[in-house]
Amino acid sequence: MKNQSAGESNRVHLNFLDGMRGLAALYVMLYHCYQFYHEIALHYRSDVIQKGLSYLLFLCPYGYFAVTVFLVLSGYSLMIPVARNPQGNMAVGNYFLRRAWRILPPYYAALILWTLFLAPIFHPGMVLASTARWARLCPQVDRWALLSHLFLIHNFSPHWSHQIDAPMWSVATEWQIYFFLPFFILPLWHRFGIPKTVLAAMALGFLPCLLLHKDIPEGFWMLGVFALGVAGAIVNWSPTDRWALRCRTWRWPTIVGALGVVMGVLFAFWPPTQSGILVFHAPLRLPDILVAVFATSFIVSCVQAPQAMRWPLRFLQSAPVRLLGDFSYSLYLVHYPILNELAHALRVHHVTPVFSCLALFGVGAPVALLAAYLFYLVVERPTLLYRRRLATSVQNRTSTSSAT
């Protein structure tokens, strides 16, 4: 289950986390396929086949929760080397360098790709005309939207957040949350412990929603979700935290099962609309918090009780799921404009909802997967390999200088 890199005694790679990332990215893509299908179906009278499709795709509206799982995975993964350190210290400069190198090159490559694709955007201050060839993708992209994306602040305005490539709003949110790990979460953990740190992160994250009655900056409430992932890493890996040591005695597989039942009952009696809106605007995002607690407990259980979780681990560590995890970030960045273009063509040509559904799931999704994998091979993987070679080179030079 674990592969530990030589020379990085506190850095542990858990294969099943890659599988979780891959499935989460796939779920987001299927959620967007369903959204586009639903938007087309709204303009037609419902028939027996459409109702059947709604029952068949009943899990798709919950795909938004995959973003919550992403934040839990991020908090957990980033906290592992810190939690394994007996002093709980972090090399802040190295942390930000690694995060920037992991997140920014694919992000900016995708941003360049889609802005070149939307050529009229380069006319400053110009709103794309409705007759422009690419206007159907983002009809109101202007220079301010582009600048906000360049500085990763586009989640501060609803007029920017879903322009160019809609899922990019969460990249900005996650990038901003990264700054809270060394300067907010870690100091609180060292002083007050895990529970109070998680509660403080949730309170701060929800503060804009409570004061402004708006989700601005969009997704900032996920700071608490990120903190839950951090707490999970402390529980699994900290050798000194007393609360973590006590938590390791809990029956985590039982907790995961109980939370799964609670989630099933909640979503059975509190179903989303066909577009998922009611769940997403629940008070204080309670369903999201429940999903985050479940995801954190699941990860902790996989590490603490791998034998009891052997079947989920076997699936998550299987070759196809891990391959999906390898290019999950590329899939997240690339899929939406492709599906959006296809959905527009289906609307323009008045394709019926049933055939639109088949086209989106049967053609759009595979094409998006293929495009994402090519993007991974051309952009994401080379940047990762270069970073690893650079880290190995620096480590070798350090070892050589120490030996002499």
Side-chain angles (χ1 to χ4, degrees), residues 178-189:
Y178 286 157
F179 289 84
F180 286 84
L181 179 57
F183 302 126
F184 178 77
I185 293 176
L186 290 187
L188 286 180
W189 170 48

Side-chain angles (χ1 to χ4, degrees), residues 18-339:
D18 294 333
M20 290 181 67
R21 287 190 190 93
L23 293 179
L26 180 65
Y27 201 2
V28 169
M29 183 186 70
L30 296 178
Y31 164 65
H32 288 139
C33 287
Y34 182 86
Q35 272 195 324
F36 288 125
Y37 157 69
H38 176 66
E39 291 170 1
I40 293 172
L42 285 175
H43 297 88
Y44 292 82
R45 181 175 296 178
S46 180
D47 56 22
V48 175
I49 298 179
Q50 283 181 238
K51 291 180 180 178
L53 286 173
S54 297
Y55 285 113
L56 184 64
L57 303 172
F58 75 100
L59 289 177
C60 288
Y62 296 101
Y64 179 89
F65 292 122
V67 180
T68 301
V69 176
F70 274 128
L71 265 293
V72 170
L73 289 169
S74 182
Y76 185 93
S77 300
L78 295 176
M79 190 60 188
I80 289 176
V82 182
R84 283 168 58 84
N85 187 324
Q87 287 75 40
N89 296 330
M90 169 186 280
V92 177
N94 183 55
Y95 162 74
F96 281 115
L97 182 62
R98 291 177 65 89
R99 286 295 84 203
W101 195 257
R102 178 68 183 93
I103 296 295
L104 298 184
Y107 169 80
Y108 284 121
L111 187 62
I112 292 170
L113 174 65
W114 300 129
T115 50
L116 288 176
F117 182 65
L118 298 169
I121 196 176
F122 291 105
H123 297 279
M126 173 182 172
V127 176
L128 300 185
S130 59
T131 56
R133 183 180 180 185
W134 308 121
R136 54 184 177 267
L137 279 176
C138 287
Q140 294 183 354
V141 175
D142 57 27
R143 60 182 175 183
W144 298 113
L146 178 57
L147 286 172
S148 66
H149 278 74
L150 288 173
F151 291 100
L152 285 104
I153 57 171
H154 49 283
N155 60 326
F156 276 77
S157 170
H159 302 294
W160 303 334
S161 60
H162 292 269
Q163 296 292 346
I164 303 178
D165 185 358
M168 283 185 173
W169 70 266
S170 65
V171 179
T173 299
E174 186 169 349
W175 176 252
Q176 293 153 18
I177 287 176
Y178 286 157
F179 289 84
F180 286 84
L181 179 57
F183 302 126
F184 178 77
I185 293 176
L186 290 187
L188 286 180
W189 170 48
H190 290 148
R191 184 171 179 82
F192 299 107
I194 299 175
K196 292 180 180 179
T197 299
V198 172
L199 290 175
M202 286 189 176
L204 180 61
F206 281 115
L207 195 60
C209 298
L210 295 174
L211 295 180
L212 304 176
H213 303 287
K214 295 179 181 179
D215 188 12
I216 299 294
E218 185 170 357
F220 184 66
W221 58 269
M222 288 187 174
L223 176 62
V225 170
F226 182 86
L228 280 169
V230 169
I234 296 171
V235 169
N236 277 147
W237 302 103
S238 176
T240 56
D241 189 284
R242 293 180 181 178
W243 197 81
L245 295 173
R246 187 163 60 249
C247 287
R248 287 175 202 162
T249 64
W250 296 357
R251 297 181 178 179
W252 285 101
T254 303
I255 294 173
V256 171
L259 288 171
V261 171
V262 171
M263 286 174 53
V265 172
L266 173 65
F267 295 140
F269 290 96
W270 193 357
T273 62
Q274 284 189 303
S275 56
I277 299 302
L278 288 181
V279 165
F280 305 153
H281 290 271
L284 291 181
R285 300 279 184 165
L286 294 179
D288 297 84
I289 299 302
L290 180 59
V291 169
V293 172
F294 174 82
T296 303
S297 301
F298 179 84
I299 297 170
V300 171
S301 183
C302 286
V303 175
Q304 292 298 122
Q307 185 61 26
M309 304 294 289
R310 60 186 179 279
W311 294 112
L313 282 172
R314 186 173 297 180
F315 173 70
L316 291 172
Q317 295 177 121
S318 62
V321 178
R322 286 194 61 195
L323 175 62
L324 191 62
D326 288 341
F327 69 98
S328 58
Y329 185 39
S330 294
L331 178 59
Y332 191 79
L333 291 173
V334 167
H335 76 275
Y336 189 88
I338 295 172
L339 295 176

